[in-house]
Amino acid sequence: MGSQKQPSHQEQLRWAIDAALEEKPKDFEELLKKLEAAGIEVNRERKHLRFRLSPEDRYTRCDTLKGDYTEQAIKERIAGTRTAKPRRTSPQKPVSKVGLLVDIEAAIRSGKGPGYERWAKVFNLKQLSQAVIWLKEHGDMSYEDLQEKSDAVTASFNVLSVQIKELESQMAANGELQKQIVNYVKTRAVHVEYRKAGYSKKFRAAHETEILLHQAAKRHFDGLGITKLPSVKSLREEYAGLLEQKRKAYSSYKQARADMKELHNVRANVEHLLDIPTGREPQRDTQKSRQ
């Protein structure tokens, strides 16, 4: 079994797309973000959308995935106008509530059954041992427990992603306000002279850059409803606080992302080996294999 072929890049990408679709993205752009969060590199520099699993791999064009996995097909699946065709024809076994290690040992011992046969085509002993080691290190558990842990760490990852985006948005707004205040202060004297000159066209032509900067800053403040400008010092202190919050959140985000990948891999190995119903649109030999 250790010499069995690994799934192709296309198979792994199809599995990753299925997993992202399972999270119910609101549109195609959100799906691409979920793929990136799962470690898939998304490239839109050329005419065709391309993916790759790691920097060492070659890009795979989305349209070469064919069937339910072209860009148009994925958009239709998100919109609910297309349903991926199920490929599993064998009946699914009920989920066992006993420890998964017992189930795994039984499956290996029997060496038969649709779940085992499908798993054997895709995975090798190293991947199985990783799942077994994880279960031993974290205390043997039922599939329901594993599912709950996987869902919880995914939810945590998503919460942290939203938190970081919000912090980045606040930092961008803070930085822009600082810039506009500096521009406003630097050009205020010129704009006062412009007003005293009766808004002379000749004066404006001679000082157009300063006047435009001043007017742009004023429009920015008006758009924010600011009547009294905060000090640049206070804004810098606020920015430093936001940056520290982002640093801490990003540290948790990276850990949650690593935990999520690990749990998804363990769960996927278990599901395929034990032929556990997942609620996903089942695919043939499309399991993601991350080392």
Side-chain angles (χ1 to χ4, degrees):
M1 189 163 57
S3 62
Q4 294 293 337
K5 288 179 61 179
Q6 294 293 316
S8 69
H9 289 177
Q10 288 195 350
E11 290 170 337
Q12 295 180 56
L13 288 170
R14 291 189 191 102
W15 184 90
I17 290 168
D18 281 339
L21 285 169
E22 190 181 348
E23 297 180 24
K24 306 295 183 185
K26 65 181 179 181
D27 53 32
F28 189 70
E29 291 303 317
E30 185 174 322
L31 176 128
L32 294 182
K33 291 177 181 178
K34 290 182 180 297
L35 289 175
E36 289 177 325
I40 304 298
E41 186 174 339
V42 178
N43 184 290
R44 307 193 75 162
E45 295 176 357
R46 300 182 183 178
K47 180 179 178 181
H48 298 284
L49 176 66
R50 301 181 299 158
F51 303 123
R52 68 178 176 183
L53 301 172
S54 70
E56 294 76 27
D57 298 325
R58 296 180 64 180
Y59 280 109
T60 297
R61 272 175 42 178
C62 185
D63 60 356
T64 64
L65 297 176
K66 300 179 180 179
D68 297 320
Y69 299 90
T70 64
E71 184 170 344
Q72 183 58 37
I74 294 170
K75 289 178 179 178
E76 291 172 1
R77 291 170 70 181
I78 293 172
T81 59
R82 182 188 185 105
T83 303
K85 299 176 182 178
R87 300 191 182 187
R88 180 181 294 174
T89 57
S90 58
Q92 296 174 327
K93 296 185 290 186
V95 179
S96 170
K97 293 188 177 181
V98 301
L100 287 172
L101 290 173
V102 174
D103 289 336
I104 291 172
E105 290 172 1
I108 295 174
R109 202 162 46 242
S110 65
K112 57 185 179 181
Y116 180 87
E117 290 170 5
R118 183 176 58 257
W119 178 87
K121 292 178 182 178
V122 180
F123 299 101
N124 58 27
L125 277 173
K126 182 179 179 181
Q127 289 171 297
L128 175 60
S129 66
Q130 289 173 343
V132 171
I133 289 171
W134 189 94
L135 288 168
K136 288 181 177 179
E137 288 180 346
H138 293 81
D140 191 15
M141 62 190 72
S142 68
Y143 173 73
E144 290 86 349
D145 294 331
L146 178 62
Q147 188 178 39
E148 185 177 335
K149 285 181 178 291
S150 175
D151 291 344
V153 75
T154 300
S156 175
F157 171 81
N158 290 336
V159 167
L160 287 165
S161 297
V162 171
Q163 180 183 350
I164 288 172
K165 288 176 184 176
E166 177 59 28
L167 287 168
E168 288 174 342
S169 177
Q170 292 179 43
M171 290 167 66
N174 179 296
E176 181 63 21
L177 182 54
Q178 287 190 52
K179 184 184 80 172
Q180 295 297 344
I181 290 175
V182 170
N183 287 344
Y184 185 81
V185 171
K186 286 170 61 177
T187 59
R188 182 161 47 195
V190 171
H191 199 269
V192 168
E193 292 299 318
Y194 177 48
R195 188 171 63 249
K196 288 179 178 179
Y199 301 104
S200 161
K201 291 183 178 179
K202 182 178 179 180
F203 187 93
R204 182 184 179 91
H207 303 277
E208 187 167 23
T209 299
E210 295 94 329
I211 292 170
L212 288 175
L213 284 173
H214 191 85
Q215 292 175 340
K218 184 64 170 61
R219 286 195 300 271
H220 186 78
F221 305 147
D222 291 343
L224 295 175
I226 295 176
T227 55
K228 183 178 180 181
L229 295 180
S231 69
V232 172
K233 180 182 177 182
S234 68
L235 288 173
R236 286 174 178 169
E237 290 173 351
E238 178 185 300
Y239 188 93
L242 291 169
L243 185 62
E244 178 62 15
Q245 289 181 59
K246 180 187 173 183
R247 185 189 66 78
K248 292 179 179 178
Y250 191 69
S251 177
S252 300
Y253 167 88
K254 288 194 295 183
Q255 184 60 55
R257 181 174 60 185
D259 292 343
M260 181 178 69
K261 286 183 179 180
E262 182 179 40
L263 266 168
H264 281 189
N265 283 336
V266 170
R267 179 175 167 181
N269 273 277
V270 168
E271 288 171 348
H272 278 254
L273 175 61
L274 303 181
D275 198 23
I276 294 174
T278 65
R280 289 194 293 264
E281 294 159 346
Q283 302 298 323
R284 181 182 60 210
D285 300 345
T286 56
Q287 172 65 337
K288 180 179 179 182
S289 168
R290 281 283 187 185
Q291 299 300 321

